[in-house]
Each structure stands twice: as C-alpha cells, then as structure tokens.
Amino acid sequence: MAIARLMVVVAIVLVLGAQPGAAQLLREDHYDATCPDAHRIVRRVLKQAHRDDARIYASLTRLHFHDCFVQGCDASILLDNSSSVVSEKFATPNNNSARGYEVVDAAKAALEKACPGVVSCADVLAIAARVSVQLSGGPRWRVQLGRRDGATANINAANNLPSPFDNLTTLQQKFAAVGLDDTDLVALSGAHTFGRVQCQFVTNRLYNFSATNRPDPTLDRGYRAFLVQRCPAGGDGTALNDLDPTTPDGFDNNYYASIQKRRGFLQSDQELLSAPGAPTAPIVNRFARSQKAFFRSFARSMINMGNIQPLTGTQGEVRKDCRKVNNGS
Ligand code: HEM
C-alpha cells in the first residue's frame, strides 16, 4: 500500500516535471515569507504615479496582457534593445502605444530595496494589473505568483498580438492559441472599460471601412458623428479618446452596454456582438446585464491569462533591472 502510494507520488512529480512552467506551480502566498509587503509596496508606487497620470492604471493592466500573450508571462515586454535582445517595445502593437514602463521600474526599485532579488518583473506586472483594476473600482482576485523572468524577447510574436482590425474568428484563434476561450475573450476585452485609444485605430471605421469606402455599418450614427469631430479625416492619428466615454477611468460593465448600443470604439470590441452569428454575443449580453457576472469572470480570466506558460522554479531568473537580463550587456 505504502509502495503504491509512493509510486503515485513519483508519477505526479514526473508528470509535473514533464510540463516545465506548469501553471499550478504559481501560488498566492509565494512571497509571504520572502517579501510579505510586496503588494503594499506596488500599491504605494502606483498610487503615487496615479496622482500625475489618471491613465496609468489602464496602461499597466494592458502591459500584463501584452506580456502574457507573447511567449507567456515572462516580462519579455520589459526588455530593452541590447546585443542579445530585439525589444518587443518596438513591435507595432507596442510602439508609441504601450506605456507605464517607468512606473514598473519604480515599483521594481522599491521592491529591490525592501527584498533584493526576490520579486520577478513578471510578477510585478501581475501585481500591478491586480492593484490597478482594484483601485479603479473593479474586482479583486487571488493573484497567483512565483513567475520567473525570461532571457529572451520575441518581436515577431509581439507583432502578432490581437489587432483592433481583427475579425472575431481571428480574435478567437489568437486567444485559443494561448489556451483562452470565448468567455475569456469577452471578459478580458472588458478591460476596455478604462484607458485611452488613438484616433488611428478608428479612422477606417469612420471613413473607409472594407472595400466600400463607407463607415462601418455596425457603428452607431450618433457615436460616429461624435468620433468624426474628435478624429477628422486626415487629422492627428495619435489624438487620444476615452475607450469608455461613459466612465473613462472607472472599471465597470458600461463597456458592454456601449457595445449593445453599437458604441464599441474598436472593431474588435464591436465584433464580439455584431459579427454575424457571433457565439460571443450572449456573453456580451450577460455581462451588460450583470456587473457581478462580469467581475467574477474578469477575475477568473485574469488568473487564466496570468497562467500562460510561466517560467517557475529554477527556470529563468529574477531580474534585478526589468529592462535587461542579469548577465546581459
Ligand atoms: C481582444 C483583443 C484586444 C485588442 C485587439 C486590443 C487592442 C487595443 C488597442 C488598439 C488599444 C489602444 C492603443 C492605443 O491607442 O495606443 C487598447 C488599449 C487598451 N487595452 Fe486592449 N486590446 C485587446 C485586449 C485587451 C486585453 C485582454 C486587455 C487587458 C486585460 C486590454 C487592456 C487595454 C487597456 C487597459 C487599454 C488602454 C491602455 C491605456 O490607456 O494606456 N486589452 N487595446
């Protein structure tokens, strides 16, 4: 009996060992002994940054997404160009768009002071996203920790991040490729309840949609008129708009009600409801009806996203400086 039990344990260890970076190795209490104030420290730095930058909570939440979708949550997005790294920061979806790197540096510096060499940059991003959503009025979740930082970046994969011009099928495929389903897609898109978006991502919907050279038919006329004022043809493509004009910096379920009114900003937002026969439509409607249902799913999906191929155990390293690998130039 004892031998049989031992064999089961050995088998489990072998299976886990055969799945490097298995998500179940992340734990909520990972830093309880080694850096018990980690959450508080990140929270303090973020609140400080928020005094001068109301958008920062949204920007940091997006950084975690752009990290996790590119070879897993390994802080690859934070690496600067070097002799061994082609930085993801210059990939199309990130260049002049992803932001918040200095605040990550500040959080990491504060953590290094309190507990040197302990908290990984990938976990700083996960904690920052969790704190940002909560401080904006959104749900809390038991953020799983223990990720290690990678030594490589992948600009090609970063160029293939979900695009605002993707149709629903492509969005579903890109989420499925990292193990996320339709509910994750709809719930995580709800992060567009806060933050800003540049005009260049909506001008095709306003002026020359597909081959027709007409507005996107799934865009509400009143909202289009509003956006035409803000984003005139031939105007400044970098001008900023609120992703959710109803509550620009609050985390709530208004995003879904806007989509129901055909007031989703991005094509990729509106597709979730308006693509012909969209299997995601009932999920949009459910989250529009119930903020509680949205919050519960969002929390679960953030944990799912944070579990994408983490490096754990002795894999990777804990970077001292999030911008470079420890022994890099
Ligand atoms: C479903 C596919 C998605 C697409 C196509 C997409 C695309 C975009 C685009 C084009 C912007 C505006 C960037 C700019 O104007 O510079 C944006 C902003 C944002 N995205 Fe997404 N996104 C997606 C999913 C997500 C997910 C999963 C999250 C987080 C969980 C997220 C969080 C955000 C946030 C918070 C902002 C505002 C950032 C800021 O103000 O700095 N997005 N997204």
Side-chain angles (χ1 to χ4, degrees), residues 55 58-59 61-62 65 96-97 99 162-164 171 175 185 188-189 191-192 194-198 201 240 243 266 268 298 302 305:
R55 182 185 174 190
S59 305
T61 304
R62 186 172 185 232
F65 159 49
N96 298 318
S97 179
R99 61 194 292 281
S163 151
L171 293 171
F175 274 66
L185 168 60
L188 292 172
S189 295
H192 291 169
F194 63 171
R196 310 288 177 267
V197 56
Q198 302 176 53
F201 297 114
L240 293 176
L243 268 165
L266 301 172
S268 53
F298 186 81
M302 284 299 278
M305 186 173 86

Side-chain angles (χ1 to χ4, degrees), residues 75-245:
S76 56
I77 190 172
L78 300 179
L79 290 172
D80 283 342
N81 276 327
S82 72
S83 56
S84 64
V85 168
V86 179
S87 177
E88 292 168 17
K89 292 178 182 177
F90 303 101
T92 306
N94 293 333
N95 195 23
N96 298 318
S97 179
R99 61 194 292 281
Y101 302 116
E102 295 77 12
V103 178
V104 175
D105 289 339
K108 174 65 173 170
L111 288 164
E112 285 299 297
K113 218 167 164 190
C115 14
V118 170
V119 182
S120 69
C121 298
D123 279 348
V124 174
L125 291 176
I127 298 171
R130 147 80 168 68
V131 168
S132 292
V133 169
Q134 196 198 338
L135 290 176
S136 306
R140 302 158 174 241
W141 59 92
R142 296 169 180 274
V143 63
Q144 304 293 301
L145 300 168
R147 298 170 192 80
R148 310 255 302 168
D149 300 321
T152 60
N154 188 337
I155 192 168
N156 293 330
N159 275 322
N160 196 37
L161 275 158
S163 151
F165 311 115
D166 283 343
N167 64 24
L168 180 59
T169 309
T170 305
L171 293 171
Q172 286 174 301
Q173 283 166 353
K174 288 184 178 178
F175 274 66
V178 290
L180 299 179
D181 65 15
D182 284 355
T183 304
D184 294 312
L185 168 60
V186 178
L188 292 172
S189 295
H192 291 169
T193 176
F194 63 171
R196 310 288 177 267
V197 56
Q198 302 176 53
C199 281
Q200 58 177 301
F201 297 114
V202 78
T203 39
N204 73 319
R205 299 188 74 204
L206 300 177
Y207 306 112
N208 55 346
F209 194 67
S210 69
T212 58
N213 274 344
R214 307 197 32 177
D216 183 340
T218 67
L219 183 59
D220 169 72
R221 286 172 71 143
Y223 191 42
R224 173 174 183 260
F226 169 76
L227 289 175
V228 161
Q229 297 285 319
R230 300 197 51 97
C231 304
D236 176 6
T238 67
L240 293 176
N241 305 273
D242 295 324
L243 268 165
D244 172 4

